[in-house]
Amino acid sequence: MALSSSYLLITTILVILIFVSFSNAQPTSSSRPQGVVLPVTKDASTLQYVTYMKQRTPLVSESLVINLSGEFQWVDCENGYVSSSNRTLSCSGKECPWISGASCGRPPRPPGFQPCRGFVYLSNQGVFASDVVSVPSFINGSKTGPDVAVKEFVFGCGSTSLLQGLAKGVKGIAGFGPFQVSVPSQFSLALRIPRVFSMCLPSSTEASSKGAIFIGGGPYKMRPGIDLSTSLSYTPFYTSLVGPNFTSGYYIQVKSINIGGKKVPVVSDNTTFDSLGFMKLTSISTLIPYTVLPSSVYKPFISIFIEKAKAMNIASVAPVAPFGACFNSRNIFITHTGGLVPEINFVLHAEKVAWRISGSNSMVKVSDTVSCLGFVDGGEFANLVIGGHQLEDNLLEFNLAKKRLGFTSTLPRQTACSLFMLGEKFLAAT
């Protein structure tokens, strides 16, 4: 009897140990974060958007310029990058083939370790590595939770000279493009969260005004109790463009543009339109501050805007570079969506789907008495590029799995990208 009791006790203990071990090795969906969230600020000097995350061992907070079409994250490894968990990637490892710009060349002789090298930024060579990255988790669409870490986050190691032209104090660039090693793709894979990320860029350069990037999907709850995931319109996006130069990023179809209900006339030729009647090569950029239009579109665009503004008793003044149309601010009535000026609509893949651009996203204040239309002439062969000013205070959701862009246009009344209910910890993050 004693032997039987002892055998039963030992068997029970073994079963419990095996169960506990299996549970620890297989994290459940409830133990994983809904997603992660990154703060965003706007640099006053360069008009670039900057995000923040912790990297290395021990962790150090790093500021990074956001590049919506960037393939990966790169940081300055030349000046003070010290980490006990930093690991140079090998050409023979699984990660090197994920990077389109990586090139290993000939195998070393005698056989040995060969680092994964490639273009880190523009035409500058560097090595690729992995290290620990830590960011706040995102709970129920409304607040930050405990920090979560990715232990083998792939990034490029650049030199200090590559920081020239970037916002003061940043350590590199965070790429959010449609690539296997982009920031959202790596977090989605490592944390097993949906391949969806959203950004809400701030319109103010004040340090206390922070927008947010969410990785993992919504809801997106904002003061005073609005869930922006219920306000999204959707359009397909495309991730590659084949032409004289192959490029990747996020491209949408723009069928036409109208201002105050009047359609902008453009020449329907092979330069401006594709075979389906859509304007060619419409991309979205966080590095270009204002929307760029080809000359054939820009000239009638500003002409109609001036015409419609005049009908609203808004007087034109001499243009201020780089803008082609400017106005007397004292004639512009201020509303909850910015100045009351003619509304601009980019009609997308279907006539009923339009990206609406109100005064806060169309006008740029250049002095106390002058505001300009925040669109620029890119020249005869320019592509249509929707720039940063038109993205601000507009939630954009990029669903990488469905290749679908959700957008709110100008945010609803009494809201702004700085009004997410994410807590003091998030607001203090730098």
Side-chain angles (χ1 to χ4, degrees), residues 306-321:
I306 291 171
E307 172 194 325
K308 292 290 184 179
K310 184 178 180 180
M312 299 173 69
N313 296 317
I314 302 173
S316 298
V317 298
V320 178

Side-chain angles (χ1 to χ4, degrees), residues 167-229:
K168 185 178 180 180
V170 302
K171 297 299 182 183
I173 290 182
F176 283 79
F179 302 94
Q180 194 168 357
V181 287
S182 69
V183 172
S185 293
Q186 290 199 67
F187 278 116
S188 295
L189 177 64
L191 302 175
R192 289 186 288 166
I193 56 180
R195 295 181 62 225
V196 178
F197 76 94
S198 304
M199 59 173 52
C200 203
L201 302 178
S203 57
S204 172
T205 58
E206 296 292 329
S208 59
S209 179
K210 286 185 170 65
I213 293 177
F214 307 94
I215 302 174
Y220 314 103
K221 296 180 181 177
M222 171 183 285
R223 292 193 294 268
I226 297 173
D227 177 8
L228 292 184
S229 63

Side-chain angles (χ1 to χ4, degrees), residues 42-63:
K42 183 180 180 180
D43 180 65
S45 177
T46 62
L47 303 183
Q48 295 167 350
Y49 304 96
V50 179
T51 190
Y52 306 83
M53 61 181 76
K54 295 175 183 177
Q55 189 167 333
R56 318 181 200 179
T57 302
L59 291 169
V60 175
S61 180
E62 292 180 336
S63 54

Side-chain angles (χ1 to χ4, degrees), residues 229-373:
S229 63
T230 64
S231 303
L232 294 171
S233 299
Y234 295 97
T235 191
F237 68 72
Y238 305 87
T239 58
S240 63
L241 174 68
V242 178
N245 296 303
F246 178 86
T247 58
S248 292
Y250 300 101
Y251 299 90
I252 60 174
Q253 296 173 317
V254 175
K255 186 77 172 180
S256 62
I257 301 173
N258 69 68
I259 301 174
K262 183 173 181 178
K263 188 174 181 179
V264 177
V266 292
V267 178
S268 184
D269 58 18
N270 293 333
T271 302
T272 307
F273 285 85
D274 63 19
S275 60
L276 298 177
F278 293 102
M279 294 181 68
K280 284 184 175 180
L281 323 181
T282 301
S283 61
I284 305 171
S285 174
T286 52
L287 296 181
I288 295 176
Y290 306 107
T291 291
V292 176
L293 296 169
S295 295
S296 61
V297 178
Y298 186 75
K299 291 173 182 177
F301 178 86
I302 62 170
S303 177
I304 292 176
F305 192 92
I306 291 171
E307 172 194 325
K308 292 290 184 179
K310 184 178 180 180
M312 299 173 69
N313 296 317
I314 302 173
S316 298
V317 298
V320 178
F323 309 114
C326 296
F327 305 89
N328 188 333
S329 298
R330 289 172 291 193
N331 300 141
I332 301 175
F333 183 73
I334 302 301
T335 72
H336 63 274
T337 57
L340 183 59
V341 296
E343 184 179 83
I344 300 167
N345 285 279
F346 284 6
V347 180
L348 304 181
H349 71 286
E351 288 294 331
K352 64 180 180 180
V353 182
W355 185 319
R356 298 182 304 279
I357 302 175
S358 302
S360 58
N361 288 114
S362 64
M363 304 304 293
V364 178
K365 184 177 180 181
V366 297
S367 73
D368 290 339
T369 58
V370 176
S371 292
C372 298
L373 182 61

